Amino acid sequence: VRFCRFDRDRLGVIEGSAVVDVTSLFDLWPVWPPVQGDWIARQLVGRIDEFENALSGRKRLSLDAVRLEFPLVSPGKIVGAPVNYRAHQAEAQADAKINFGRKIAQIGEIGLFLKAASALSGPADPVRLSFSERRNDHEVELVVVIGKEGRSIPRERALEHVLGYSVGLDMTVRGPEFPTFRKSVDTYAVVGPWIVTADELPDPSNLKLTLKVNGEERQNASTRDMIFDVPALIEYASKFYTLYPGDLIFTGTPEGVSEVKPGDILEAAVEKVGEMRIAIAPDYTA
Ligand code: MN
C-alpha cells in the first residue's frame, strides 16, 4: 500500500486519487513503558494485508483536498549514506565549493552519518533555508524505511527488514564542518509524500531518481548505480546500531547536486515511489 499521514493527525492509505482514513486501525498513544522506534511504523509491521482488507466502507477524501505530512511520527534515527554514487564523488571532488579541500572518499572508507530527527519535514512543508550566504544544495535520494527490528543483519535477509520506501531530500549546507552538523538543520530532511510498502516494491535496485529546480532538470540517475545497494546499506548500518521500526536510511544522492535559493521550487521524484514539490522559503536564520 501507499501509507500516508495527512491533515496533521490522520493516517491514510492512498487509493487512486483518494486517501482512505485508516486512523482507527492504530493505537494512537505512545506505549508505556516506551519502546524504541517510531510507534506508527511499529504498528504497520506485518499488518499490510490487514490494511488492504480493511479499506472498504471507510471515509475517503480527495488527495487534492488534504495536506500530506511527513508519513511517520518519531523515527529514532536517520542514517545517511555519504558518497554512494561514483559520478557524485567525481563532481564533489572537482568542485572546491563542495569539497572544501578535502579528499572525497567513498562510503566504505568513511562510514555513515546521522541526521537529526528534528530536521524532518513533510511534502507540503517548505524547506526553510538557513545560512543563505553559504551554498545550500539539494540531494534527491531514495529513502528506506525500516520495518522489522534487527542488528547485524546479513545482506541476504536485509530486505525482510524494510517496511517501504519514500522520496527524500537530504538538504545540505556546504562547508568544512561535520556532515552530520551541516545536514541536520531544521527542515533539511524532507521525506514523503508517502511510504510505498515493500510488498508493492520488492526490488529497489533499478529506480529512476530525478530532481528539477524551477522546472529545469538537475539530477537524473538510477539506484542501480549505488556503490552500496540497499541490502549492503542495511548490512553495514546494522553492524553498528540496531535498526528499529521507522528508522530511515537516506541512500545517497547521484550526480547533479546544485545550489538552491529562496523562492526556488524543487520537484523530487523516485520511480514507483512518488514525487514531491517543495518550496525553498526565505532564510530562517536571518
Ligand atoms: Mn546525501
Side-chain angles (χ1 to χ4, degrees), residues 10-29:
R10 309 305 294 174
L11 301 167
V13 168
I14 312 288
E15 204 177 57
S17 58
V19 182
V20 184
D21 190 325
V22 294
T23 312
S24 68
L25 295 177
F26 289 83
D27 288 329
L28 289 180
W29 299 101

Side-chain angles (χ1 to χ4, degrees), residues 6-286:
F6 66 97
D7 293 349
R8 190 163 175 275
D9 62 353
R10 309 305 294 174
L11 301 167
V13 168
I14 312 288
E15 204 177 57
S17 58
V19 182
V20 184
D21 190 325
V22 294
T23 312
S24 68
L25 295 177
F26 289 83
D27 288 329
L28 289 180
W29 299 101
V31 296
W32 191 264
V35 292
Q36 288 274 7
D38 181 276
W39 43 281
I40 294 298
R42 190 172 276 279
Q43 293 180 62
L44 279 165
V45 176
R47 290 180 69 199
I48 300 303
D49 288 348
E50 180 191 337
F51 273 72
E52 282 184 321
N53 295 330
L55 297 183
S56 67
R58 289 180 182 275
K59 185 176 173 189
R60 279 167 167 70
L61 300 104
S62 168
L63 194 49
D64 295 335
V66 305
R67 182 185 199 282
L68 291 175
E69 314 284 359
F70 163 67
L72 295 174
V73 178
S74 53
K77 59 184 165 299
I78 307 171
V79 178
V83 196
N84 200 20
Y85 290 81
R86 285 183 190 84
H88 173 59
Q89 179 186 23
E91 75 177 352
Q93 196 63 79
D95 187 345
K97 292 197 178 84
I98 296 179
N99 64 50
F100 282 77
R102 287 167 306 204
K103 173 181 178 275
I104 300 295
Q106 282 181 13
I107 178 169
E109 300 169 68
I110 54 173
L112 303 166
F113 64 89
L114 295 169
K115 281 170 85 82
S118 51
L120 283 166
S121 190
D125 303 315
V127 168
R128 295 185 310 227
L129 202 72
S130 293
F131 315 107
S132 64
E133 75 286 3
R134 295 173 57 173
R135 176 168 159 169
N136 286 260
D137 279 15
H138 57 77
E139 296 190 352
V140 67
E141 309 195 3
L142 173 71
V143 169
V144 177
V145 183
I146 296 296
K148 193 170 85 174
E149 178 177 326
R151 183 174 160 100
S152 298
I153 301 164
R155 89 167 263 123
E156 300 72 39
R157 312 216 60 162
L159 293 182
E160 298 169 24
H161 291 260
V162 175
L163 175 64
Y165 303 92
S166 291
V167 183
L169 282 170
D170 175 20
M171 300 302 297
T172 302
V173 184
R174 298 293 176 202
E177 305 98 326
F178 290 124
T180 192
F181 187 55
R182 295 181 285 102
K183 291 168 172 283
S184 286
V185 183
D186 286 0
T187 74
Y188 277 40
V190 185
V191 177
W194 40 65
I195 297 168
V196 175
T197 53
D199 56 299
E200 289 200 8
L201 184 44
D203 179 13
S205 69
N206 190 10
L207 303 174
K208 188 170 134 170
L209 304 141
T210 57
L211 184 124
K212 294 178 187 172
V213 180
N214 303 327
E216 184 185 308
E217 189 169 273
R218 301 283 173 84
Q219 295 186 274
N220 183 340
S222 167
T223 60
R224 72 171 170 261
D225 293 325
M226 286 180 180
I227 297 168
F228 277 33
D229 63 8
V230 170
L233 288 170
I234 290 170
E235 181 178 64
Y236 192 34
S238 69
K239 278 181 188 161
F240 284 76
Y241 18 65
T242 302
L243 297 177
Y244 290 103
D247 282 358
L248 304 170
I249 303 177
F250 276 71
T251 58
T253 200
E255 67 277 17
V257 300
S258 70
E259 187 169 20
V260 299
K261 291 290 188 188
D264 284 348
I265 300 290
L266 309 187
E267 292 167 78
V270 178
E271 181 186 5
K272 297 180 183 170
V273 178
E275 56 186 87
M276 304 188 286
R277 190 181 153 85
I278 303 292
I280 305 295
D283 196 335
Y284 185 57
T285 49

